[in-house]
């Protein structure tokens, strides 16, 4: 029994060793299989095999390293692929990749956050679609409240930001739009009142036209007016009454006006003011401020110099006029590029010919005077021990010495004669070609040369010693200086003021008292003004300095002999010539803007009241002056009815016609609003004495009764692009199959001034039959977004273009409409033709 236990004891290590070997082989197999699967694209299976290999042999650090390295590479590759899919908008593919990442590494923060972001984006997209539905219905408040949580969670959500901008633009358009009157105010009317009460007149207009007229409580009850107009619009008629009675109106809605006295107190209470900021680009804000105060009498105006802007508070008409004035003045100054070439030419010729003979002979005496006290020259010692040698010394000649001069006591300096044979020519060219860019009416300067220092010394006297010397240094510009000042004209001609100066240093002059050295400066300058075309070259020359110097040295008598005298003379000549040539060529950069006629001239109202348009009466058609047909529902107003303003919403059905007879002098008309015939209005004649020769006309108001002729209706249609981008110019045509029999055509076109800006209105060939002459009158209201057009001529029998409109797209919008608001047409016989208006023309505008 003991023997068996000993055997088992020795077999245990062997068993363990065999197990370890087998486990190591299995781990190796798993590791190899995992790497092969990863390389083959089976990522999840390969990583699982690598994890099993690590668990099978946890002591093997290489297995752990390969597992971590491989997992990291795979995760980075999948994250990059998911990010790419996300950027391309493939949300489902990106979500699938993120889910694979979480299977490989549960709890991966990047993938978890990305999936949460995707879920949030889906929720946001649903909310944006809901907000867009509210926006399309016109419910801006609901759309804004629906977008608010989206923008709070993700302020950069593209669709939400775009929709928020569209909501803001739509609300801004609504807020900035000025109240305008609808087409009821554009219908023609005929008024005949003499000394009538103003309240009664406005009541009659309100009942006949269907508009609401509210009167201020301070309006005088005894205010009278007299007006006789025919075929004018209701709006123009109201304006005429207001102007005549010193009243003013405030538009409350498209069919309601408020009438109040035109007094300073009432204007402060009822006149709406706007605040507008003008950010200037080129103009000087101080000059613009002076212009606005001078022309528009604006008081509430402020300059912000840091932003180069002007903030203005005034009436809408004043703001419109300020916009036109600033647009005309805030333009960039043109510039000119000046190509300048400066050539300095120096030519010199020097000659030195002949024999240079000596012109003097010098005799110098030589005299040595021996010390009389020691003629031998012996050395002696004085009592002080000074050794002195008595040597011969040379002193100045005296009169006594002159008497002992002989040939041995004179020295002679014999000069030599020199043969000169020299001629020298020199040419120097100095070229400078600078370029400089100058703004209009600005000065530019070119300096080519040296700055020469000049030292000036000054002596300050001192009582204790020598004076104090103080030196100062100044610099003198010497060389070529060019000053130019261009003026660019509208035809691209350039007027240039030129100043040219050429200077050089001359001789030095020394101040004997201070020792300061200064120089003479030789100067040549010119100034001129010339006008050149763009690209034209002008050469300025003639700044010439020419000098000729000739010096002859001759031997007296011999040098004056003809011909032979050349052997006894020396000729020295010096000729020099300096010339400056200037070439200048202007090139206009940024041409001057020639403003349109509408930007240079426009109406501004009267001295006391600013208006952005002229108060004129526009013919809109004719009024049927006949009496109503039998059986028509003409209901007269009772004679005893008080003249109190009534809103237009109340129907004009006061009392039956049978109870109150219609006055014989009253004229009646059948108004037509929106193609629905309403009861006619008959206003009784005013009972007051009149001049016998002029019958008292009845207080009458009449609206247009559209009489349709037997001619077939003219159908109008739009033609043009359906899409456009901001900054483009589009052309929209109004066509018709035939205008045969038409003589006059008039219509009013509406557009959105925040999106489209009219550029041009061109007449078509609809009223140019056989190339006959035609006439076109147009009136563009930029602020109100309308174009009034009147055409006359001979109608064409074939398909033709009526009008061509050119618009500039100034802002983006999902949809922008061009509408035909009203039409009128008259035939050759004076009858009224029928025009069939097309549906609104819709265009999509993108950035």
């Amino acid at each position: 029994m003991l023997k068996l236990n000993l055997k088992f004891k020795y077999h245990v290590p062997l068993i363990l060793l065999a197990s370890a070997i087998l486990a190591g082989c299995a781990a190796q197999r798993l590791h190899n299989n995992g790497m092969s699967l990863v390389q083959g694209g089976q990522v999840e299976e390969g990583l699982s095999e690598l994890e099993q290999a690590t668990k099978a042999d946890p002591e093997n650090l290489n297995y752990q390293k390969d597992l971590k390295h491989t997992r990291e590479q795979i995760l980075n590759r999948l994250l990059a692929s998911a990010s790419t899919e996300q950027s391309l908008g493939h949300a489902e593919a990106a979500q699938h990749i993120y889910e694979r990442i979480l299977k490989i590494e549960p709890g991966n923060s990047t993938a978890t956050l990305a999936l949460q972001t995707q879920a949030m984006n889906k929720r946001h997209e649903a909310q944006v679609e809901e907000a867009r539905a509210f926006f399309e219905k016109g419910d801006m408040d609901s759309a804004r409240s629906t977008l608010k949580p989206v923008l709070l969670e993700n302020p950069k959500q593209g669709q939400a930001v775009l929709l928020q901008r569209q909501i803001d633009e739509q609300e801004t358009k609504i807020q900035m739009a000025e109240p305008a009157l609808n087409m009821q105010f554009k219908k023609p009317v005929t008024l005949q009142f003499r000394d009538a009460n103003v309240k009664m007149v406005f009541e009659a207009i309100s009942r006949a036209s269907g508009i609401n007229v509210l009167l201020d409580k301070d309006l005088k009850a005894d205010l009278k007016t007299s007006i006789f107009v025919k075929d004018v619009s209701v709006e123009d008629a109201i304006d005429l009454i207001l102007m005549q009675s010193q009243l003013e109106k405030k538009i409350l809605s498209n069919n309601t006006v408020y009438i109040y006295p035109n007094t300073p107190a009432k204007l402060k209470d009822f006149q709406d003011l706007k605040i507008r900021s003008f950010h200037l680009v080129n103009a000087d804000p101080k000059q613009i401020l002076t212009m606005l105060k001078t022309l528009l009498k604006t008081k509430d105006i402020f300059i912000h110099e840091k932003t180069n802007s002007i903030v203005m508070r005034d009436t809408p008409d004043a703001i419109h006029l300020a916009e036109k004035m600033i647009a005309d003045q805030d333009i960039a100054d043109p510039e000119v590029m000046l190509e300048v070439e400066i050539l300095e030419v120096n030519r010199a010729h020097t000659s030195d010919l002949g024999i240079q003979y000596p012109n003097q002979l010098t005799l110098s005496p030589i005299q040595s005077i021996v010390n009389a006290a020691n003629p031998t020259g012996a050395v002696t010692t004085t009592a002080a021990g000074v050794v002195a040698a008595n040597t011969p010394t040379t002193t100045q000649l005296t009169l006594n010495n002159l008497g002992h001069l002989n040939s041995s006591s004179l020295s002679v300096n014999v000069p030599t004669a020199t043969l000169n044979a020299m001629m020298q020519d020199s040419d120097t060219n100095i070229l400078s070609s600078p370029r400089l860019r100058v703004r209009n009416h600005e000065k530019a300067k070119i300096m080519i040369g040296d700055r020469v220092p000049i030292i000036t010394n000054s002596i300050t006297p001192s009582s204790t010693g020598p004076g104090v010397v103080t030196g100062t240094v100044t610099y003198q510009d010497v060389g070529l200086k060019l000053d130019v000042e261009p003026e660019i004209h509208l035809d691209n001609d350039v007027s240039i003021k030129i100043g040219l100066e050429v200077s050089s240093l001359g001789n030095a002059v020394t101040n004997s008292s201070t020792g300061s050295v200064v120089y003479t400066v030789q100067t040549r300058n010119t100034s001129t003004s010339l006008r050149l075309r763009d690209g034209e070259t002008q050469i300025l020359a003639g700044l010439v300095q020419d000098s000729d110097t000739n010096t002859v040295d001759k031997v007296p008598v011999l040098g004056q002999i003809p011909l032979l005298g050349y052997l006894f003379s020396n000729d020295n000549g010096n000729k020099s010539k300096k010339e400056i040539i200037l070439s200048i060529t202007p090139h206009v950069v940024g041409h001057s803007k020639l403003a349109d006629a509408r930007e240079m001239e426009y109406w501004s109202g009267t001295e006391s009241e600013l208006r952005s348009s002229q108060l004129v009466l526009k013919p809109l058609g004719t009024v049927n002056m006949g009496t109503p047909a039998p059986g028509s529902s003409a209901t007269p107003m009772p004679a005893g009815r008080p003249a109190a303003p009534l809103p237009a919403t109340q129907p004009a059905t006061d009392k039956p016609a049978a109870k109150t007879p219609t006055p014989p002098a009253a004229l009646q008309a059948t108004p037509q609003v929106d193609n629905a015939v309403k009861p006619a209005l008959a206003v009784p004649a005013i009972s007051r004495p009149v001049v016998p020769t002029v019958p008292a006309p009845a207080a009458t108001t009449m609206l247009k009764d559209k009489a349709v002729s037997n001619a077939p209706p003219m159908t109008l249609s739009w033609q043009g692009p359906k899409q456009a981008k901001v900054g483009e110019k589009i052309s929209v045509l109004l066509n018709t199959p035939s205008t045969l029999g038409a003589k006059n055509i008039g219509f009013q076109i509406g557009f959105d001034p925040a999106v489209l800006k009219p550029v041009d209105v061109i007449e078509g060939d609809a009223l140019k039959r056989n190339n006959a002459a035609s006439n076109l009158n147009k009136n563009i209201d930029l602020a109100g977004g309308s174009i009034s057009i009147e055409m006359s001529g001979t109608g064409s029998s074939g398909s033709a273009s009526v009008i061509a409109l050119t618009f500039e797209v100034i802002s983006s919008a999902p949809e922008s409409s061009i509408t035909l608001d009203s039409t009128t047409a008259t035939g050759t016989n004076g009858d009224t033709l029928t025009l069939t208006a097309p549906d609104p023309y819709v265009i999509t505008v993108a950035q």
Side-chain angles (χ1 to χ4, degrees):
M1 190 68 181
L2 180 62
K3 187 175 181 180
L4 291 174
N5 291 336
L6 290 173
K7 288 182 179 180
F8 181 75
K9 178 180 179 181
Y10 287 110
H11 283 84
V12 169
L14 295 175
I15 294 172
L16 295 175
L17 179 62
S19 300
I21 293 173
L22 292 175
C25 293
Q28 181 67 32
R29 185 176 63 258
L30 290 172
H31 179 269
N32 294 336
N33 290 338
M35 296 299 293
S36 299
L37 290 173
V38 169
Q39 293 177 359
Q42 301 179 8
V43 176
E44 289 82 355
E45 294 82 356
L47 288 176
S48 178
E49 294 284 339
L50 291 177
E51 289 178 356
Q52 295 177 14
T54 304
K55 293 178 180 178
D57 190 2
E59 301 295 332
N60 194 323
L61 298 180
N62 289 329
Y63 293 170
Q64 297 181 8
K65 182 193 69 174
D66 290 343
L67 174 62
K68 293 181 180 180
H69 183 66
T70 304
R71 179 185 292 153
E72 184 179 359
Q73 285 184 338
I74 292 172
L75 291 176
N76 291 336
R77 186 167 62 250
L78 290 177
L79 287 173
S81 177
S83 178
T84 302
E85 296 292 341
Q86 187 74 26
S87 62
L88 295 176
H90 303 157
E92 295 182 358
Q95 180 179 357
H96 178 68
I97 296 174
Y98 286 130
E99 291 175 351
R100 288 183 61 190
I101 294 173
L102 291 178
K103 290 180 181 179
I104 296 173
E105 185 183 5
N108 184 281
S109 60
T110 304
T112 303
L113 181 60
L115 290 176
Q116 293 176 357
T117 304
Q118 280 194 335
M120 182 181 66
N121 290 338
K122 290 182 179 179
R123 186 177 72 255
H124 288 172
E125 289 176 359
Q127 291 175 326
V128 169
E129 290 300 325
E130 182 181 359
R132 182 173 284 107
F134 286 124
F135 173 74
E136 293 176 354
K137 294 178 181 179
D139 190 354
M140 302 301 169
D141 295 334
S142 299
R144 188 181 294 276
S145 61
T146 306
L147 278 183
K148 185 176 181 179
V150 178
L151 295 175
L152 287 177
E153 295 179 0
N154 185 9
K156 297 184 179 179
Q157 215 280 348
Q159 296 297 326
V161 173
L162 179 60
L163 183 57
Q164 178 73 23
R165 181 178 178 182
Q166 293 175 354
I167 294 174
D168 293 339
E169 290 178 352
Q170 187 67 22
E171 290 185 346
T172 302
K173 187 188 304 182
I174 296 174
Q175 294 175 359
M176 295 301 294
E178 299 176 8
L181 302 176
N182 60 13
M183 291 307 299
Q184 293 176 343
F185 286 81
K186 308 297 181 181
K187 293 182 178 299
V189 65
T190 293
L191 299 179
Q192 296 180 5
F193 289 98
R194 175 181 296 167
D195 292 335
N197 187 278
V198 170
K199 293 183 178 181
M200 186 191 72
V201 174
F202 281 127
E203 179 183 3
I205 294 176
S206 174
R207 289 185 175 277
S209 62
I211 63 175
N212 302 321
V213 180
L214 304 178
L215 302 180
D216 188 78
K217 63 182 181 61
D218 295 331
L219 197 66
K220 295 181 180 180
D222 57 348
L223 189 62
K224 306 294 183 178
T225 184
S226 297
I227 181 172
F228 301 90
V229 293
K230 181 180 179 181
D231 300 338
V232 299
S233 66
V234 176
E235 182 180 6
D236 290 341
I238 293 176
D239 289 340
L240 288 175
I241 297 174
L242 297 179
M243 180 180 65
Q244 188 183 59
S245 305
Q246 298 297 314
L247 301 176
E248 189 56 70
K249 74 174 185 294
K250 178 180 177 65
I251 301 175
L252 301 180
S253 66
N254 60 353
N255 66 340
T256 304
V257 294
Y258 185 83
I259 308 300
Y260 60 92
N262 188 2
T263 61
K266 291 295 182 178
L267 289 176
K268 289 182 179 180
D269 293 338
F270 295 108
Q271 195 172 46
D272 292 327
L273 302 180
K274 275 187 176 182
I275 294 179
R276 172 66 187 274
S277 296
F278 297 96
H279 294 273
L280 306 178
V281 180
N282 304 286
D284 184 1
K286 294 182 180 179
Q287 295 181 356
I288 297 296
L289 174 67
T290 304
M291 178 183 68
L292 296 179
K293 283 187 174 181
T294 303
L295 299 180
L296 301 183
K297 313 300 181 184
T298 299
K299 296 180 180 179
D300 299 336
I301 190 168
F302 173 77
I303 287 182
H304 197 289
E305 295 183 355
K306 184 176 181 180
T307 58
N308 197 44
S309 60
I310 289 181
V311 183
M312 177 180 175
R313 182 174 184 262
D314 212 322
T315 62
D317 284 326
I319 295 294
H320 294 162
L321 293 174
E323 289 177 353
K324 295 180 180 180
M325 295 168 62
I326 293 177
D328 181 43
Q329 299 298 324
D330 189 19
I331 57 177
D333 291 336
E335 298 182 358
V336 61
M337 175 71 74
L338 296 178
E339 294 183 359
V340 182
E341 291 186 356
I342 304 169
L343 180 63
E344 184 176 357
V345 179
N346 296 332
R347 294 184 178 89
H349 175 75
T350 305
S351 62
D352 192 358
L353 301 176
I355 301 175
Q356 186 70 39
Y357 290 95
N359 53 11
Q360 62 181 1
L361 180 64
T362 305
L363 300 177
S364 301
I366 300 175
Q367 178 67 36
S368 297
I369 304 175
V370 181
N371 190 342
N374 190 3
T376 61
V379 178
T380 61
T381 302
T382 63
V386 179
V387 179
N390 293 325
T391 58
T393 59
T394 303
T395 63
Q396 295 181 355
L397 291 177
T398 62
L399 293 177
N400 186 30
N401 297 137
L402 291 177
H404 299 83
L405 292 179
N406 52 31
S407 60
S408 61
S409 60
L410 293 175
S411 64
V412 180
N413 183 11
V414 180
T416 59
T418 304
L419 177 62
N420 296 323
M422 185 271 294
M423 298 186 67
Q424 181 180 7
D425 293 330
S426 63
D427 291 335
T428 304
N429 294 332
I430 301 176
L431 177 64
S432 300
S433 56
R435 291 187 177 186
L436 65 161
R437 184 167 174 169
V438 194
R439 291 178 59 184
N440 192 23
H441 298 293
E442 296 290 341
K443 293 182 180 180
K445 181 179 180 180
I446 301 174
M447 168 63 190
I448 303 173
D450 300 324
R451 301 196 69 187
V452 179
I454 300 176
I455 301 175
T456 304
N457 295 327
S458 60
I459 301 177
T460 304
S462 176
S463 60
T464 59
V468 179
V469 180
T470 304
T472 58
V473 180
T474 58
Y475 290 89
Q476 176 72 37
D477 292 333
V478 177
L480 187 143
K481 290 189 291 186
L482 178 65
D483 297 332
V484 292
E485 181 180 355
E487 179 183 358
I488 305 172
H489 303 278
L490 290 177
D491 57 356
N492 286 336
D493 282 4
V494 182
S495 297
I496 308 175
K497 294 180 181 179
I498 300 177
L500 179 62
E501 178 180 337
V502 182
S503 59
S504 60
L505 285 180
N507 299 326
V509 179
T510 304
N511 191 337
S512 58
S513 61
T514 61
S516 301
V517 178
V518 294
Y519 297 89
T520 61
V521 179
Q522 301 176 354
T523 304
R524 289 165 288 163
N525 54 47
T526 183
S527 61
T528 184
S529 178
L530 65 156
R531 180 164 178 166
L532 302 176
R533 294 189 301 273
D534 185 11
E536 181 182 0
T537 301
Q538 178 65 46
I539 297 177
L540 303 176
L543 293 176
V544 181
Q545 180 181 3
D546 196 351
S547 62
D548 188 357
T549 305
N550 190 12
T551 304
V552 179
D553 297 331
K554 301 178 180 180
V555 177
V557 181
L558 296 178
Q560 297 176 351
I561 300 175
L563 298 178
L564 186 61
Y566 288 108
L567 299 177
F568 302 96
S569 62
N570 182 65
D571 191 351
N572 190 345
N574 189 356
K575 294 182 179 180
S576 63
K577 184 177 183 180
K578 297 180 180 180
E579 183 176 5
I580 302 296
I581 301 175
L582 172 66
S583 171
I584 185 169
T585 305
H587 296 283
V588 178
V589 180
H591 299 279
S592 300
K593 177 187 176 183
L594 187 60
D596 297 337
R598 62 183 180 182
E599 296 179 356
M600 294 187 296
E601 183 179 3
Y602 39 85
W603 297 103
S604 62
T606 62
E607 181 70 21
S608 59
E609 181 182 3
L610 292 176
R611 291 175 59 94
S612 58
S613 61
Q614 187 183 18
L615 180 58
V616 294
L617 301 181
K618 307 177 183 63
L620 299 177
T622 58
V623 176
N624 185 6
M625 299 296 294
T627 58
S632 64
S633 58
T635 305
M637 186 175 67
R641 187 177 182 88
L646 296 178
T649 55
Q650 300 178 0
T653 57
D654 296 329
K655 294 183 179 180
K659 295 183 179 181
T660 304
T662 303
L667 297 178
Q668 302 179 12
T670 302
Q672 184 174 356
V673 180
D674 297 335
N675 297 326
V677 178
K678 296 185 178 180
L681 172 67
V683 181
I686 300 176
S687 176
R688 64 176 61 249
V690 296
V691 181
T693 57
V694 181
T700 309
T701 174
M702 292 154 285
L703 294 178
K704 179 179 178 181
D705 184 10
K706 294 183 178 179
V708 181
S709 68
N710 296 327
M714 290 186 293
T715 304
L716 302 176
S717 62
W718 296 106
Q719 179 183 355
K722 295 297 183 180
Q723 295 180 351
K725 295 182 179 180
V726 177
E728 293 182 348
K729 290 185 178 181
I730 59 173
S731 295
V732 180
L733 302 179
L734 187 61
N735 300 326
T736 181
S738 175
T739 55
L740 186 63
K743 181 179 180 182
N744 298 298
I745 298 178
F747 41 83
Q748 185 169 359
I749 297 174
F751 62 93
D752 188 353
V755 180
L756 302 175
K757 177 183 178 182
V759 177
D760 197 4
V761 178
I762 302 176
E763 181 185 6
D765 53 358
L767 296 181
K768 294 183 178 180
R769 185 178 181 182
N770 298 327
N771 296 324
S774 61
N775 186 27
L776 170 66
N777 294 324
K778 56 186 178 181
N779 184 19
I780 301 176
D781 184 5
L782 292 177
S786 64
I787 304 175
S788 300
I789 300 174
E790 296 178 0
M791 304 171 56
S792 61
T794 304
S796 176
S797 60
S799 178
S801 171
V802 180
I803 205 74
L805 307 173
T806 303
F807 294 95
E808 180 183 356
V809 183
I810 58 178
S811 65
S812 61
E815 289 183 352
S816 182
S817 300
I818 301 175
T819 58
L820 194 61
D821 296 335
S822 64
T823 60
T824 58
T826 306
T828 55
N829 298 328
D831 54 345
T832 301
L833 304 180
T834 303
L835 289 177
T836 303
D839 294 333
Y841 181 76
V842 180
I843 184 171
T844 302
V845 181
Q847 289 286 352

